[in-house]
Amino acid sequence: MPRHMLSKKDMKNFSKKMEEYGLWAGFLENAQIEVEEKKGRKCFSVGGIIIAVEDSSLLPSVELLNAVKPDKNVMVVDKGAVPHILNGSNLFVKGITHLDSNIKKDSIVYIRGPDNRFVAVGRAEESYEVLKEMKQGTAATTLIVAGRDPCQP
């Protein structure tokens, strides 16, 4: 599918989904959002910067997270975990310094470093209640990492 602007109907659906995730920002209201399909994924961009990817679900890009600064579904990690996550590793419980209490098993989570910059998007392996009691193991599967093209599977 060639790159094209979202229709009004598609824009309404897109903004509704982003609002549900707490990721809709005023600067997107009048933005010209383009969509392009790459390897079975829909890639949404503004001015050439990818803001979200959709395959089986809609995932925000790390760039969008750093612009919007969400406060829900956030996992904060220590500085030792950041390079591993940026290399594509999953997030392990030992690297977490803070968890949002609203995290549910299989929910999309936003992984933030100690410098308040988001570094990845993941999927929670367990709920907040289970994660806070775990001493070891995987907390989240990494889906999108800063510095990598989120449209490439």
Side-chain angles (χ1 to χ4, degrees):
M1 165 182 9
R3 185 182 323 197
H4 64 279
M5 296 294 181
L6 285 180
S7 67
K8 286 184 180 184
K9 178 183 175 186
D10 289 341
M11 181 67 167
K12 187 176 181 178
N13 291 333
F14 178 78
S15 64
K16 184 179 178 182
K17 285 181 186 178
M18 295 304 273
E19 283 175 0
E20 288 172 10
Y21 293 149
L23 295 172
W24 189 251
F27 69 88
L28 293 171
E29 197 67 40
N30 295 318
Q32 294 184 334
I33 300 177
E34 295 180 308
V35 63
E36 180 178 17
E37 192 161 328
K38 294 181 179 180
K39 297 185 179 183
R41 291 181 158 196
K42 287 184 181 177
C43 301
F44 299 88
S45 62
V46 174
I49 297 171
I50 297 168
I51 60 168
V53 177
E54 184 175 49
D55 49 17
S56 59
S57 61
L58 184 66
L59 302 172
S61 69
V62 174
E63 289 78 7
L64 180 63
L65 294 178
N66 282 312
V68 175
K69 306 275 187 211
D71 57 0
K72 292 182 181 171
N73 285 4
V74 173
M75 293 180 166
V76 181
V77 299
D78 61 31
K79 68 180 182 179
V82 172
H84 297 286
I85 294 166
L86 292 174
N87 280 328
S89 292
N90 291 329
L91 171 58
F92 293 96
V93 173
K94 288 187 177 187
I96 297 173
T97 60
H98 174 76
L99 286 170
D100 176 32
S101 61
N102 295 309
I103 293 173
K104 307 282 185 244
K105 181 178 172 67
D106 295 325
S107 63
I108 300 301
V109 293
Y110 314 127
I111 303 167
R112 190 174 69 206
D115 62 355
N116 287 326
R117 302 264 317 147
F118 288 90
V119 295
V121 177
R123 184 174 310 280
E125 291 292 319
E126 297 292 344
S127 68
Y128 165 80
E129 292 80 13
V130 174
L131 289 170
K132 72 178 182 175
E133 300 299 325
M134 289 174 61
K135 302 290 185 227
Q136 62 182 10
T138 305
T141 301
T142 304
L143 303 172
I144 295 178
V145 177
R148 293 192 186 174
D149 182 351
C151 288
Q152 298 300 319

